Amino acid sequence: YRNFANKLWNAARFSLMKLEDTGTIAPCRAPAATALPNRYILSELARALDVAATGLEAYRLDEATQALYHFVWDELCDWYLELSKPLLDGPDRALADETAAVLLHVLETTLRALHPMMPFITEDIWQRIPRADAAASDTIMLARYPAAGRDSLRDEASETELTVVQEFIVAARSIRAEYDLPRRHAIAIHWVSEDKARAATIEASRSLIEALAGATLTQDTAERVDNPHEHFRLAAVFVLPGMRGVVPGVIDPVKERERLTRQLGKIEKELGVLEKKLTNEKFVSGAPPEVVEQTKRDAAELREKRDQMSAAITRLG
């Protein structure tokens, strides 16, 4: 857990350096949030606090610790800090102020939640955070333990929407890595989706995606995106649930076919496992209904990706 302690310390240092000239203080309650990243991180905080509280009450310190560990590492550090940068540095001052308040609140609340498991580093960082209730206690040991509902609220819509944004950013970064494109090399992404909700999410978060992916986004037509060899030059393709896109000017056709073929093999392997489950009468009749339904949805999603991937390989010739 040394690496985790470093991660927590660096997250706090980044946050406090970023906000030292703003005059922001950590509020006593969760601030109102309108921007998708802010709504999302407060929702994920609520999820982690719920699990941590249940774990502590049941003396399952392992479950409480893992929930907070996952939140800090995977949600706060790996995603939210990156997502917050364009909002903090953008021209919209109201949005920047909202993001600063959310960032400081999430950090302060997380430190209080982690304190029983990590007493020393959390005390040290907590003492450095400007707080609205600074006079309430001299030590984090006497501060109120956080609880979902007061310190954050679940917002499942934001979690769903941000998953779409994350998938898009990861797809763009994967193409960068696959074709060894440096960060300074801006890429153009032409994308299409028949899923209106997903398309609306991408359009609403377009500037955020462009900042994190180093790209320019264009919502295109299915005819163009599904026939990239006719409309784009040396275009890489990616396929996401309910969405697909092309990135012109980056590929070697032979290597692209090999890459897609490898991905298709992985998809078919995963699909085979799910289909085997669904043809097993013991699984279908014995597993909880929600598990069976989720398996069916996962299989349908993989079939869609398989078909789209196969079509992309065929178009490459």
Side-chain angles (χ1 to χ4, degrees):
Y1 289 96
R2 179 184 62 184
N3 290 340
F4 177 72
N6 285 340
K7 197 88 167 176
L8 183 63
W9 183 269
N10 287 333
R13 184 172 64 175
F14 164 82
S15 302
L16 295 175
M17 287 177 61
K18 199 78 175 172
L19 305 178
E20 64 182 351
D21 296 327
T22 66
T24 305
I25 58 176
C28 299
R29 289 179 177 271
T34 58
L36 175 58
N38 295 336
R39 291 165 48 215
Y40 143 82
I41 197 62
L42 289 172
S43 183
E44 289 292 342
L45 176 61
R47 183 200 298 271
L49 291 179
D50 270 337
V51 177
T54 301
L56 289 173
E57 289 168 6
Y59 298 98
R60 290 301 305 270
L61 299 185
D62 56 326
E63 293 179 0
T65 302
Q66 279 302 112
L68 296 170
Y69 178 97
H70 165 74
F71 170 76
V72 171
W73 194 291
D74 298 329
E75 307 299 343
L76 176 60
C77 295
D78 283 1
W79 276 108
Y80 182 66
L81 293 185
E82 288 298 312
L83 291 166
S84 70
K85 290 176 185 177
L87 305 182
L88 291 169
D89 297 334
D92 188 332
R93 294 319 307 162
L95 183 57
D97 290 343
E98 172 192 306
T99 304
V102 169
L103 175 56
L104 211 53
H105 170 76
V106 169
L107 176 61
E108 192 272 338
T109 303
T110 302
L111 291 171
R112 283 186 283 126
L114 275 171
H115 180 68
M117 294 74 113
M118 300 181 69
F120 302 111
I121 190 172
T122 50
E123 177 79 77
D124 192 313
I125 299 172
W126 190 79
Q127 293 290 349
R128 302 165 189 259
I129 293 178
R131 306 183 308 280
D133 60 346
S137 60
D138 296 325
T139 170
I140 194 173
M141 289 186 288
L142 301 181
R144 175 184 53 81
Y145 194 79
R150 175 188 172 98
D151 294 288
S152 56
L153 292 172
R154 286 294 302 278
D155 181 345
E156 294 184 2
S158 73
E159 296 174 20
T160 300
E161 291 169 23
L162 200 91
T163 296
V164 174
V165 172
Q166 289 172 323
E167 289 173 344
F168 203 105
I169 293 171
V170 169
R173 289 177 171 177
S174 295
I175 286 177
R176 281 190 175 281
E178 183 76 21
Y179 299 105
D180 197 24
L181 302 174
R183 184 68 177 82
R184 64 180 179 276
H185 181 106
I187 59 177
I189 300 177
H190 295 254
W191 64 276
V192 68
S193 174
E194 285 77 30
D195 186 320
K196 292 183 179 180
R198 290 175 182 270
T201 296
I202 295 300
E203 274 300 299
S205 302
R206 182 164 56 86
S207 60
L208 198 61
I209 296 171
E210 289 179 337
L212 268 67
T216 56
L217 271 59
T218 301
Q219 187 172 6
D220 218 316
T221 65
E223 194 279 330
R224 281 167 53 84
V225 171
D226 291 340
N227 297 280
H229 62 294
E230 295 179 8
H231 301 285
F232 305 100
R233 181 175 178 273
L234 301 178
V237 303
F238 63 86
V239 178
L240 298 171
M243 191 182 308
R244 52 215 181 272
V246 297
V247 182
V250 299
I251 76 163
D252 176 323
V254 175
K255 290 183 179 179
E256 177 66 359
R257 183 181 177 86
E258 292 173 351
R259 184 181 75 87
L260 292 178
T261 301
R262 287 196 303 272
Q263 289 188 358
L264 180 60
K266 292 179 182 178
I267 290 172
E268 289 178 335
K269 185 176 180 180
E270 292 175 17
L271 181 58
V273 172
L274 296 184
E275 289 180 335
K276 187 175 181 180
K277 277 187 176 182
L278 292 172
T279 56
N280 185 332
E281 184 59 33
K282 289 184 178 180
F283 172 76
V284 175
S285 61
E290 61 272 19
V291 174
V292 176
E293 287 303 313
Q294 183 61 52
T295 303
K296 290 179 179 178
R297 288 194 294 271
D298 291 343
E301 188 176 289
L302 285 174
R303 288 190 197 98
E304 180 186 1
K305 291 183 71 174
R306 178 196 62 189
D307 294 344
Q308 292 177 349
M309 197 73 70
S310 297
I313 292 171
T314 301
R315 287 191 294 268
L316 279 170

